[in-house]
Amino acid sequence: MAGVFEGFRPDMRVRSVMEIDLADLRKRGYIGLMLDLDNTLLPWKDLNIPIESKAWLETSKKLGMKPCIISNTHHPNRLMKIADQLQIPAIGCALKPDKRGFHRAAEIVGCEIDQTVVVGDQLLTDILGGNRAGAYTILVNPMHNREFLGTKVSRMIERLIFAVLREPHRV
Ligand SMILES: [Mg+2]
């Protein structure tokens, strides 16, 4: 049964981006850092990136990694404001789990997809899409429980998939 759902299994799970060992990823050859926005880098609808997320991103840049935001958001103005704040490229309306957005992101930052890490809080978009693209996938716990209605529905489906994969709902 779990076989059919393997595409949803993240390669790594952490509570938040701050727990990701960037130096270790870099040592393992990863360069591209494809980041989901909402509930991964900041709470949904917020405009200000928390200082911890900013510091973490700065560390990644210092290590020579190339971050890029990849979001399904339909609010490009908000996305671009945030990307400007962070001085990193961003792709909106990415249609994750479509893998094309991840390939485009890899092209933008100038690395191969197998040198790419995808970080996000949703199995159905970030993790499935990242796995399909052939990236290394890291699932974070959502930053906040405030969510888009459609996401609340996705969370119910996630619970079922986690059960089949015998993975905890949150780490
Ligand atoms: Mg998200």
Side-chain angles (χ1 to χ4, degrees):
M1 179 74 168
V4 184
F5 292 90
E6 280 306 315
F8 292 99
R9 194 188 295 280
D11 293 306
M12 185 192 285
R13 294 189 66 174
V14 290
R15 279 176 293 187
S16 78
V17 291
M18 271 75 75
E19 285 187 359
I20 298 172
D21 187 342
L22 290 165
D24 181 61
L25 289 176
R26 186 68 193 85
K27 218 177 352 177
R28 288 159 61 190
Y30 292 107
I31 298 166
L33 197 55
M34 307 315 166
L35 305 161
D36 171 53
L37 183 64
D38 289 304
N39 273 334
T40 297
L41 286 180
L42 83 175
W44 181 55
K45 278 191 169 175
D46 268 21
L47 254 184
N48 299 309
I49 295 278
I51 191 147
E52 298 85 359
S53 296
K54 266 188 194 159
W56 181 81
L57 273 166
E58 284 312 310
T59 306
S60 78
K61 289 183 195 173
K62 277 183 197 142
L63 286 164
M65 296 186 86
K66 307 278 182 208
C68 176
I69 299 172
I70 172 159
S71 170
N72 281 355
T73 182
H74 291 287
H75 300 282
N77 290 341
R78 171 174 171 265
L79 175 65
M80 289 312 155
K81 266 183 205 155
I82 293 168
D84 276 354
Q85 248 187 79
L86 299 171
Q87 295 185 293
I88 59 177
I91 296 173
C93 305
L95 303 175
K96 295 178 283 186
D98 192 305
K99 61 184 178 185
R100 279 172 292 188
F102 296 105
H103 286 285
R104 222 167 83 222
E107 232 178 84
I108 289 172
V109 304
C111 72
E112 300 298 324
I113 202 74
D114 60 4
Q115 299 173 304
T116 295
V117 179
V118 170
V119 184
D121 69 297
Q122 288 198 56
L123 282 189
L124 273 58
T125 53
D126 307 309
I127 302 305
L128 179 62
N131 283 342
R132 282 165 116 177
Y136 185 78
T137 50
I138 303 180
L139 181 69
V140 299
N141 289 344
M143 251 185 172
H144 200 283
N145 54 19
R146 188 176 71 217
E147 292 184 309
F148 171 60
L149 179 63
T151 309
K152 288 185 195 289
V153 176
S154 300
R155 296 294 179 204
M156 289 192 263
I157 301 168
E158 275 186 355
R159 279 177 184 272
L160 297 172
I161 299 171
F162 279 131
V164 175
L165 293 177
R166 296 179 189 280
E167 292 252 3
H169 172 233
R170 297 284 180 259
V171 293

